[in-house]
Each structure stands twice: as structure tokens, then as C-alpha cells.
Amino acid sequence: MADEGSDTSDESLDVRSEKFDPLKALYSPRVRLASSVPIYDNISKFESVLKGINVSTKSDKSAVPESTRERFLSHQEPVSRRKRERKDVLSKMQKILGPLGMLHGCMENKIRVRVYTRNAYGIRGHVEAYVAAFDKFWNLALEDCFEVWSRKVKRKAPAVGPDAVRVEPAEKDVPKVVVKKIEGKMETLERHVPQMLLRGEQVAIIVKIN
């Protein structure tokens, strides 16, 4: 092995020489690497470059021989996947037809509707409001709602008479319920609600208000 005082022509510092000493080249101050040194993925590629063999990358399909490529028939070729369309309540409302299409028109044109609601025994009352959103199950999101409904009297009539208007006490941030009329064991109530979510199973019929 040559000593450290040898010049750069020393075979122990020549990477192409069989007498190349990597440890000596690593610590030798006379060995300078160029700034544009290529980087190889593995030793095999490096050896191929030394032997003068052309190494093609995976992305270069033109360098791959035709005989080594996979061959497919026209019906066996990979199918390009189409981008799935966005499916949510907002996109489905725009493509709806039939009675729900009329409801979509009322929503777009800001037409007020009257929704008759039902309970287990019959018609419960109605809600006059603007439609904000809906789905195919007739679930409705309503705005600026004025609700009128009937129920059994749960308390005695006031002393001033059955035709008097009574306001039920309400908690903070809860809409006030006004008792408008009492007939026998049934009373009619009304209230104004800024927003309301009405389930489809409670919807009996929807009518446009001209």
C-alpha cells in the first residue's frame, strides 16, 4: 500500500483500480469529489455504469423491450377510474324530480309553504315557513316558522273565560307558546320559531302559500 505522501495518480486512490483503498481515499486530503456526482440506487447500477452498460429508469418505458412488456387484449386493459360525483343533500336537491322538485322550486324562489303535520291519531296542526333544505325522506329544515297545533287541555281554563288568550311561561331562549282557543277538552296553540327540523314521518301534506 502506498503511503499518504503519494500523489493523486496513486492506484490506491483511483476508484477504477483494483488496488483502490476506500479507507485511504476517505481520509486523504488529495481526493476531491465533483459537485455533480450522480447518485445511484444500489451497487448494481453503479457497477453497470462502470462497465458501460446503459441503465434505464422505471419511468422510461421506451427503453423497456417490447418482449418484456405485459400484453393485454382490448377488453383486458386496465379500466380508468372515473371520479365519483359528490353525493350529499345539497347536490341531490338540484337533480330531484316530481313532488320533491316542486319543493326545490319553493326553496330556490323563497316561496312560503304550509306543512300539515300529523301525530299517531290524525292531523296535529300546520307550520308556515320557508324551506331551507330537504331530502328524499321528506325531512325538512325550515326557517321563520309559525306553528299552530292542537292538543288536549292539561290544565284548567282561566277564570276570565274560555275565549281568553293565555301565554304559557317559557324558559330563557325558548319560544313562547300562546293558547289561542279552547274547545271542550282540546286547545289550540301557536308559536313562532326561527328554525325547525321536521321529520318526514310527521309530514302529512305540503301546500304552497300564494
Side-chain angles (χ1 to χ4, degrees), residues 103-133:
L103 194 60
H104 180 263
C106 294
M107 182 189 69
E108 291 292 327
N109 300 323
K110 292 294 182 181
I111 299 177
R112 200 166 177 84
V113 298
R114 178 179 296 168
V115 183
Y116 288 90
T117 58
R118 62 185 178 185
N119 52 24
Y121 307 101
I123 298 299
R124 173 181 178 271
H126 67 270
V127 182
E128 296 181 2
Y130 294 103
V131 180

PDB file of all heavy atoms in Angstrom, residues 103-133:
ATOM      1  N   LEU A 103     -90.916  21.167  -4.370  1.00  0.00           N
ATOM      2  CA  LEU A 103     -90.396  21.658  -3.095  1.00  0.00           C
ATOM      3  C   LEU A 103     -89.059  22.373  -3.294  1.00  0.00           C
ATOM      4  O   LEU A 103     -88.778  23.380  -2.645  1.00  0.00           O
ATOM      5  CB  LEU A 103     -90.239  20.483  -2.130  1.00  0.00           C
ATOM      6  CG  LEU A 103     -90.034  20.825  -0.657  1.00  0.00           C
ATOM      7  CD1 LEU A 103     -91.220  21.609  -0.123  1.00  0.00           C
ATOM      8  CD2 LEU A 103     -89.837  19.557   0.156  1.00  0.00           C
ATOM      9  N   HIS A 104     -88.254  21.861  -4.224  1.00  0.00           N
ATOM     10  CA  HIS A 104     -86.980  22.529  -4.528  1.00  0.00           C
ATOM     11  C   HIS A 104     -87.221  23.895  -5.157  1.00  0.00           C
ATOM     12  O   HIS A 104     -86.493  24.860  -4.888  1.00  0.00           O
ATOM     13  CB  HIS A 104     -86.149  21.652  -5.461  1.00  0.00           C
ATOM     14  CG  HIS A 104     -84.829  22.251  -5.836  1.00  0.00           C
ATOM     15  ND1 HIS A 104     -84.633  22.935  -7.016  1.00  0.00           N
ATOM     16  CD2 HIS A 104     -83.653  22.296  -5.172  1.00  0.00           C
ATOM     17  CE1 HIS A 104     -83.388  23.360  -7.069  1.00  0.00           C
ATOM     18  NE2 HIS A 104     -82.767  22.982  -5.968  1.00  0.00           N
ATOM     19  N   GLY A 105     -88.255  24.004  -6.006  1.00  0.00           N
ATOM     20  CA  GLY A 105     -88.587  25.301  -6.586  1.00  0.00           C
ATOM     21  C   GLY A 105     -89.018  26.306  -5.531  1.00  0.00           C
ATOM     22  O   GLY A 105     -88.666  27.488  -5.602  1.00  0.00           O
ATOM     23  N   CYS A 106     -89.783  25.844  -4.549  1.00  0.00           N
ATOM     24  CA  CYS A 106     -90.179  26.741  -3.452  1.00  0.00           C
ATOM     25  C   CYS A 106     -88.966  27.195  -2.651  1.00  0.00           C
ATOM     26  O   CYS A 106     -88.910  28.337  -2.188  1.00  0.00           O
ATOM     27  CB  CYS A 106     -91.179  26.033  -2.540  1.00  0.00           C
ATOM     28  SG  CYS A 106     -92.762  25.652  -3.320  1.00  0.00           S
ATOM     29  N   MET A 107     -88.009  26.312  -2.489  1.00  0.00           N
ATOM     30  CA  MET A 107     -86.807  26.674  -1.741  1.00  0.00           C
ATOM     31  C   MET A 107     -85.975  27.698  -2.510  1.00  0.00           C
ATOM     32  O   MET A 107     -85.489  28.679  -1.938  1.00  0.00           O
ATOM     33  CB  MET A 107     -85.980  25.418  -1.461  1.00  0.00           C
ATOM     34  CG  MET A 107     -84.728  25.662  -0.639  1.00  0.00           C
ATOM     35  SD  MET A 107     -83.657  24.212  -0.541  1.00  0.00           S
ATOM     36  CE  MET A 107     -83.083  24.132  -2.243  1.00  0.00           C
ATOM     37  N   GLU A 108     -85.809  27.485  -3.828  1.00  0.00           N
ATOM     38  CA  GLU A 108     -84.989  28.389  -4.628  1.00  0.00           C
ATOM     39  C   GLU A 108     -85.648  29.761  -4.778  1.00  0.00           C
ATOM     40  O   GLU A 108     -84.967  30.790  -4.767  1.00  0.00           O
ATOM     41  CB  GLU A 108     -84.742  27.773  -6.009  1.00  0.00           C
ATOM     42  CG  GLU A 108     -83.831  26.555  -5.988  1.00  0.00           C
ATOM     43  CD  GLU A 108     -82.410  26.910  -5.607  1.00  0.00           C
ATOM     44  OE1 GLU A 108     -81.960  28.019  -5.960  1.00  0.00           O
ATOM     45  OE2 GLU A 108     -81.748  26.094  -4.942  1.00  0.00           O
ATOM     46  N   ASN A 109     -86.966  29.788  -4.934  1.00  0.00           N
ATOM     47  CA  ASN A 109     -87.682  31.047  -5.169  1.00  0.00           C
ATOM     48  C   ASN A 109     -88.189  31.707  -3.889  1.00  0.00           C
ATOM     49  O   ASN A 109     -88.924  32.700  -3.961  1.00  0.00           O
ATOM     50  CB  ASN A 109     -88.861  30.798  -6.116  1.00  0.00           C
ATOM     51  CG  ASN A 109     -88.410  30.259  -7.455  1.00  0.00           C
ATOM     52  OD1 ASN A 109     -87.373  30.655  -7.977  1.00  0.00           O
ATOM     53  ND2 ASN A 109     -89.183  29.334  -8.014  1.00  0.00           N
ATOM     54  N   LYS A 110     -87.829  31.141  -2.741  1.00  0.00           N
ATOM     55  CA  LYS A 110     -88.239  31.700  -1.450  1.00  0.00           C
ATOM     56  C   LYS A 110     -89.761  31.839  -1.360  1.00  0.00           C
ATOM     57  O   LYS A 110     -90.299  32.887  -1.002  1.00  0.00           O
ATOM     58  CB  LYS A 110     -87.569  33.057  -1.215  1.00  0.00           C
ATOM     59  CG  LYS A 110     -86.069  32.983  -1.008  1.00  0.00           C
ATOM     60  CD  LYS A 110     -85.730  32.246   0.274  1.00  0.00           C
ATOM     61  CE  LYS A 110     -84.230  32.214   0.507  1.00  0.00           C
ATOM     62  NZ  LYS A 110     -83.882  31.482   1.757  1.00  0.00           N
ATOM     63  N   ILE A 111     -90.452  30.760  -1.703  1.00  0.00           N
ATOM     64  CA  ILE A 111     -91.912  30.717  -1.603  1.00  0.00           C
ATOM     65  C   ILE A 111     -92.289  30.064  -0.274  1.00  0.00           C
ATOM     66  O   ILE A 111     -91.798  28.982   0.055  1.00  0.00           O
ATOM     67  CB  ILE A 111     -92.520  29.931  -2.778  1.00  0.00           C
ATOM     68  CG1 ILE A 111     -92.162  30.613  -4.108  1.00  0.00           C
ATOM     69  CG2 ILE A 111     -94.028  29.810  -2.621  1.00  0.00           C
ATOM     70  CD1 ILE A 111     -92.655  29.865  -5.324  1.00  0.00           C
ATOM     71  N   ARG A 112     -93.150  30.720   0.460  1.00  0.00           N
ATOM     72  CA  ARG A 112     -93.564  30.203   1.763  1.00  0.00           C
ATOM     73  C   ARG A 112     -94.524  29.035   1.577  1.00  0.00           C
ATOM     74  O   ARG A 112     -95.405  29.071   0.702  1.00  0.00           O
ATOM     75  CB  ARG A 112     -94.223  31.313   2.577  1.00  0.00           C
ATOM     76  CG  ARG A 112     -94.257  31.062   4.075  1.00  0.00           C
ATOM     77  CD  ARG A 112     -94.616  32.339   4.812  1.00  0.00           C
ATOM     78  NE  ARG A 112     -94.729  32.130   6.247  1.00  0.00           N
ATOM     79  CZ  ARG A 112     -93.697  32.150   7.075  1.00  0.00           C
ATOM     80  NH1 ARG A 112     -92.481  32.370   6.597  1.00  0.00           N
ATOM     81  NH2 ARG A 112     -93.869  31.959   8.371  1.00  0.00           N
ATOM     82  N   VAL A 113     -94.364  28.002   2.388  1.00  0.00           N
ATOM     83  CA  VAL A 113     -95.201  26.808   2.282  1.00  0.00           C
ATOM     84  C   VAL A 113     -95.882  26.549   3.622  1.00  0.00           C
ATOM     85  O   VAL A 113     -95.451  27.037   4.673  1.00  0.00           O
ATOM     86  CB  VAL A 113     -94.364  25.570   1.872  1.00  0.00           C
ATOM     87  CG1 VAL A 113     -93.739  25.760   0.509  1.00  0.00           C
ATOM     88  CG2 VAL A 113     -93.293  25.268   2.911  1.00  0.00           C
ATOM     89  N   ARG A 114     -96.953  25.771   3.535  1.00  0.00           N
ATOM     90  CA  ARG A 114     -97.664  25.342   4.739  1.00  0.00           C
ATOM     91  C   ARG A 114     -97.558  23.820   4.820  1.00  0.00           C
ATOM     92  O   ARG A 114     -98.017  23.110   3.917  1.00  0.00           O
ATOM     93  CB  ARG A 114     -99.121  25.771   4.706  1.00  0.00           C
ATOM     94  CG  ARG A 114     -99.941  25.301   5.916  1.00  0.00           C
ATOM     95  CD  ARG A 114    -101.367  25.792   5.826  1.00  0.00           C
ATOM     96  NE  ARG A 114    -101.424  27.255   5.891  1.00  0.00           N
ATOM     97  CZ  ARG A 114    -102.510  27.967   5.599  1.00  0.00           C
ATOM     98  NH1 ARG A 114    -103.612  27.345   5.200  1.00  0.00           N
ATOM     99  NH2 ARG A 114    -102.487  29.279   5.690  1.00  0.00           N
ATOM    100  N   VAL A 115     -96.963  23.342   5.882  1.00  0.00           N
ATOM    101  CA  VAL A 115     -96.741  21.911   6.082  1.00  0.00           C
ATOM    102  C   VAL A 115     -97.713  21.425   7.149  1.00  0.00           C
ATOM    103  O   VAL A 115     -97.652  21.867   8.307  1.00  0.00           O
ATOM    104  CB  VAL A 115     -95.285  21.628   6.512  1.00  0.00           C
ATOM    105  CG1 VAL A 115     -95.060  20.125   6.647  1.00  0.00           C
ATOM    106  CG2 VAL A 115     -94.302  22.233   5.525  1.00  0.00           C
ATOM    107  N   TYR A 116     -98.614  20.533   6.753  1.00  0.00           N
ATOM    108  CA  TYR A 116     -99.548  19.944   7.716  1.00  0.00           C
ATOM    109  C   TYR A 116     -98.858  18.760   8.387  1.00  0.00           C
ATOM    110  O   TYR A 116     -98.370  17.846   7.711  1.00  0.00           O
ATOM    111  CB  TYR A 116    -100.833  19.495   7.026  1.00  0.00           C
ATOM    112  CG  TYR A 116    -101.711  20.642   6.598  1.00  0.00           C
ATOM    113  CD1 TYR A 116    -101.567  21.222   5.336  1.00  0.00           C
ATOM    114  CD2 TYR A 116    -102.676  21.163   7.454  1.00  0.00           C
ATOM    115  CE1 TYR A 116    -102.364  22.281   4.938  1.00  0.00           C
ATOM    116  CE2 TYR A 116    -103.483  22.223   7.063  1.00  0.00           C
ATOM    117  CZ  TYR A 116    -103.317  22.778   5.809  1.00  0.00           C
ATOM    118  OH  TYR A 116    -104.108  23.833   5.422  1.00  0.00           O
ATOM    119  N   THR A 117     -98.854  18.787   9.712  1.00  0.00           N
ATOM    120  CA  THR A 117     -98.191  17.739  10.480  1.00  0.00           C
ATOM    121  C   THR A 117     -99.225  16.792  11.082  1.00  0.00           C
ATOM    122  O   THR A 117    -100.396  17.144  11.242  1.00  0.00           O
ATOM    123  CB  THR A 117     -97.345  18.355  11.605  1.00  0.00           C
ATOM    124  OG1 THR A 117     -98.186  19.160  12.449  1.00  0.00           O
ATOM    125  CG2 THR A 117     -96.248  19.230  11.028  1.00  0.00           C
ATOM    126  N   ARG A 118     -98.770  15.613  11.417  1.00  0.00           N
ATOM    127  CA  ARG A 118     -99.674  14.601  11.958  1.00  0.00           C
ATOM    128  C   ARG A 118     -99.051  13.949  13.188  1.00  0.00           C
ATOM    129  O   ARG A 118     -97.846  14.012  13.415  1.00  0.00           O
ATOM    130  CB  ARG A 118     -99.966  13.535  10.911  1.00  0.00           C
ATOM    131  CG  ARG A 118     -98.736  12.763  10.463  1.00  0.00           C
ATOM    132  CD  ARG A 118     -99.067  11.811   9.356  1.00  0.00           C
ATOM    133  NE  ARG A 118     -97.881  11.106   8.880  1.00  0.00           N
ATOM    134  CZ  ARG A 118     -97.883  10.273   7.844  1.00  0.00           C
ATOM    135  NH1 ARG A 118     -99.001  10.053   7.181  1.00  0.00           N
ATOM    136  NH2 ARG A 118     -96.772   9.670   7.476  1.00  0.00           N
ATOM    137  N   ASN A 119     -99.911  13.306  13.954  1.00  0.00           N
ATOM    138  CA  ASN A 119     -99.466  12.513  15.090  1.00  0.00           C
ATOM    139  C   ASN A 119     -99.987  11.093  14.924  1.00  0.00           C
ATOM    140  O   ASN A 119    -100.356  10.690  13.816  1.00  0.00           O
ATOM    141  CB  ASN A 119     -99.929  13.142  16.410  1.00  0.00           C
ATOM    142  CG  ASN A 119    -101.424  13.428  16.412  1.00  0.00           C
ATOM    143  OD1 ASN A 119    -102.186  12.795  15.680  1.00  0.00           O
ATOM    144  ND2 ASN A 119    -101.858  14.392  17.225  1.00  0.00           N
ATOM    145  N   ALA A 120    -100.049  10.355  15.997  1.00  0.00           N
ATOM    146  CA  ALA A 120    -100.474   8.955  15.897  1.00  0.00           C
ATOM    147  C   ALA A 120    -101.960   8.806  15.617  1.00  0.00           C
ATOM    148  O   ALA A 120    -102.411   7.725  15.208  1.00  0.00           O
ATOM    149  CB  ALA A 120    -100.113   8.214  17.184  1.00  0.00           C
ATOM    150  N   TYR A 121    -102.750   9.874  15.799  1.00  0.00           N
ATOM    151  CA  TYR A 121    -104.205   9.762  15.681  1.00  0.00           C
ATOM    152  C   TYR A 121    -104.774  10.555  14.507  1.00  0.00           C
ATOM    153  O   TYR A 121    -105.915  10.346  14.122  1.00  0.00           O
ATOM    154  CB  TYR A 121    -104.876  10.234  16.979  1.00  0.00           C
ATOM    155  CG  TYR A 121    -104.331   9.545  18.203  1.00  0.00           C
ATOM    156  CD1 TYR A 121    -103.413  10.188  19.020  1.00  0.00           C
ATOM    157  CD2 TYR A 121    -104.721   8.251  18.529  1.00  0.00           C
ATOM    158  CE1 TYR A 121    -102.902   9.559  20.143  1.00  0.00           C
ATOM    159  CE2 TYR A 121    -104.211   7.614  19.649  1.00  0.00           C
ATOM    160  CZ  TYR A 121    -103.303   8.268  20.453  1.00  0.00           C
ATOM    161  OH  TYR A 121    -102.794   7.636  21.560  1.00  0.00           O
ATOM    162  N   GLY A 122    -104.020  11.469  13.928  1.00  0.00           N
ATOM    163  CA  GLY A 122    -104.545  12.274  12.832  1.00  0.00           C
ATOM    164  C   GLY A 122    -103.705  13.521  12.623  1.00  0.00           C
ATOM    165  O   GLY A 122    -102.515  13.557  12.946  1.00  0.00           O
ATOM    166  N   ILE A 123    -104.354  14.558  12.081  1.00  0.00           N
ATOM    167  CA  ILE A 123    -103.656  15.815  11.819  1.00  0.00           C
ATOM    168  C   ILE A 123    -103.416  16.550  13.138  1.00  0.00           C
ATOM    169  O   ILE A 123    -104.349  16.784  13.911  1.00  0.00           O
ATOM    170  CB  ILE A 123    -104.459  16.694  10.846  1.00  0.00           C
ATOM    171  CG1 ILE A 123    -104.609  15.982   9.500  1.00  0.00           C
ATOM    172  CG2 ILE A 123    -103.760  18.033  10.653  1.00  0.00           C
ATOM    173  CD1 ILE A 123    -103.300  15.692   8.798  1.00  0.00           C
ATOM    174  N   ARG A 124    -102.190  16.918  13.365  1.00  0.00           N
ATOM    175  CA  ARG A 124    -101.825  17.613  14.603  1.00  0.00           C
ATOM    176  C   ARG A 124    -101.950  19.118  14.455  1.00  0.00           C
ATOM    177  O   ARG A 124    -102.393  19.821  15.361  1.00  0.00           O
ATOM    178  CB  ARG A 124    -100.394  17.246  14.980  1.00  0.00           C
ATOM    179  CG  ARG A 124     -99.815  18.018  16.162  1.00  0.00           C
ATOM    180  CD  ARG A 124     -98.387  17.575  16.425  1.00  0.00           C
ATOM    181  NE  ARG A 124     -97.777  18.325  17.521  1.00  0.00           N
ATOM    182  CZ  ARG A 124     -97.121  19.465  17.374  1.00  0.00           C
ATOM    183  NH1 ARG A 124     -96.994  20.003  16.153  1.00  0.00           N
ATOM    184  NH2 ARG A 124     -96.585  20.083  18.414  1.00  0.00           N
ATOM    185  N   GLY A 125    -101.550  19.658  13.290  1.00  0.00           N
ATOM    186  CA  GLY A 125    -101.585  21.095  13.062  1.00  0.00           C
ATOM    187  C   GLY A 125    -100.854  21.419  11.770  1.00  0.00           C
ATOM    188  O   GLY A 125    -100.758  20.583  10.863  1.00  0.00           O
ATOM    189  N   HIS A 126    -100.320  22.630  11.667  1.00  0.00           N
ATOM    190  CA  HIS A 126     -99.582  23.014  10.469  1.00  0.00           C
ATOM    191  C   HIS A 126     -98.479  24.002  10.835  1.00  0.00           C
ATOM    192  O   HIS A 126     -98.522  24.641  11.897  1.00  0.00           O
ATOM    193  CB  HIS A 126    -100.514  23.615   9.411  1.00  0.00           C
ATOM    194  CG  HIS A 126    -101.114  24.925   9.810  1.00  0.00           C
ATOM    195  ND1 HIS A 126    -102.316  25.014  10.477  1.00  0.00           N
ATOM    196  CD2 HIS A 126    -100.673  26.209   9.655  1.00  0.00           C
ATOM    197  CE1 HIS A 126    -102.604  26.277  10.702  1.00  0.00           C
ATOM    198  NE2 HIS A 126    -101.620  27.030  10.213  1.00  0.00           N
ATOM    199  N   VAL A 127     -97.504  24.105   9.918  1.00  0.00           N
ATOM    200  CA  VAL A 127     -96.371  25.017  10.082  1.00  0.00           C
ATOM    201  C   VAL A 127     -96.233  25.821   8.799  1.00  0.00           C
ATOM    202  O   VAL A 127     -96.144  25.239   7.707  1.00  0.00           O
ATOM    203  CB  VAL A 127     -95.059  24.256  10.373  1.00  0.00           C
ATOM    204  CG1 VAL A 127     -93.909  25.238  10.580  1.00  0.00           C
ATOM    205  CG2 VAL A 127     -95.218  23.354  11.583  1.00  0.00           C
ATOM    206  N   GLU A 128     -96.214  27.134   8.910  1.00  0.00           N
ATOM    207  CA  GLU A 128     -95.961  28.011   7.769  1.00  0.00           C
ATOM    208  C   GLU A 128     -94.518  28.497   7.863  1.00  0.00           C
ATOM    209  O   GLU A 128     -94.128  29.108   8.864  1.00  0.00           O
ATOM    210  CB  GLU A 128     -96.928  29.194   7.769  1.00  0.00           C
ATOM    211  CG  GLU A 128     -98.380  28.786   7.590  1.00  0.00           C
ATOM    212  CD  GLU A 128     -99.314  29.982   7.572  1.00  0.00           C
ATOM    213  OE1 GLU A 128     -98.802  31.125   7.665  1.00  0.00           O
ATOM    214  OE2 GLU A 128    -100.536  29.783   7.473  1.00  0.00           O
ATOM    215  N   ALA A 129     -93.730  28.218   6.807  1.00  0.00           N
ATOM    216  CA  ALA A 129     -92.298  28.523   6.885  1.00  0.00           C
ATOM    217  C   ALA A 129     -91.690  28.531   5.494  1.00  0.00           C
ATOM    218  O   ALA A 129     -92.352  28.211   4.492  1.00  0.00           O
ATOM    219  CB  ALA A 129     -91.590  27.500   7.769  1.00  0.00           C
ATOM    220  N   TYR A 130     -90.406  28.903   5.441  1.00  0.00           N
ATOM    221  CA  TYR A 130     -89.596  28.810   4.226  1.00  0.00           C
ATOM    222  C   TYR A 130     -88.744  27.541   4.306  1.00  0.00           C
ATOM    223  O   TYR A 130     -88.225  27.204   5.374  1.00  0.00           O
ATOM    224  CB  TYR A 130     -88.680  30.028   4.074  1.00  0.00           C
ATOM    225  CG  TYR A 130     -89.419  31.325   3.850  1.00  0.00           C
ATOM    226  CD1 TYR A 130     -89.571  32.238   4.887  1.00  0.00           C
ATOM    227  CD2 TYR A 130     -89.954  31.642   2.608  1.00  0.00           C
ATOM    228  CE1 TYR A 130     -90.244  33.431   4.690  1.00  0.00           C
ATOM    229  CE2 TYR A 130     -90.633  32.833   2.404  1.00  0.00           C
ATOM    230  CZ  TYR A 130     -90.775  33.723   3.448  1.00  0.00           C
ATOM    231  OH  TYR A 130     -91.447  34.901   3.245  1.00  0.00           O
ATOM    232  N   VAL A 131     -88.603  26.862   3.176  1.00  0.00           N
ATOM    233  CA  VAL A 131     -87.828  25.622   3.137  1.00  0.00           C
ATOM    234  C   VAL A 131     -86.349  25.965   2.958  1.00  0.00           C
ATOM    235  O   VAL A 131     -85.977  26.666   2.014  1.00  0.00           O
ATOM    236  CB  VAL A 131     -88.305  24.704   1.999  1.00  0.00           C
ATOM    237  CG1 VAL A 131     -87.487  23.416   1.970  1.00  0.00           C
ATOM    238  CG2 VAL A 131     -89.784  24.386   2.160  1.00  0.00           C
ATOM    239  N   ALA A 132     -85.517  25.474   3.866  1.00  0.00           N
ATOM    240  CA  ALA A 132     -84.067  25.682   3.773  1.00  0.00           C
ATOM    241  C   ALA A 132     -83.364  24.476   3.159  1.00  0.00           C
ATOM    242  O   ALA A 132     -82.400  24.628   2.409  1.00  0.00           O
ATOM    243  CB  ALA A 132     -83.481  25.978   5.152  1.00  0.00           C
ATOM    244  N   ALA A 133     -83.849  23.270   3.451  1.00  0.00           N
ATOM    245  CA  ALA A 133     -83.257  22.047   2.898  1.00  0.00           C
ATOM    246  C   ALA A 133     -84.238  20.904   3.100  1.00  0.00           C
ATOM    247  O   ALA A 133     -85.151  20.980   3.935  1.00  0.00           O
ATOM    248  CB  ALA A 133     -81.919  21.731   3.561  1.00  0.00           C
TER     249      ALA A 133
END
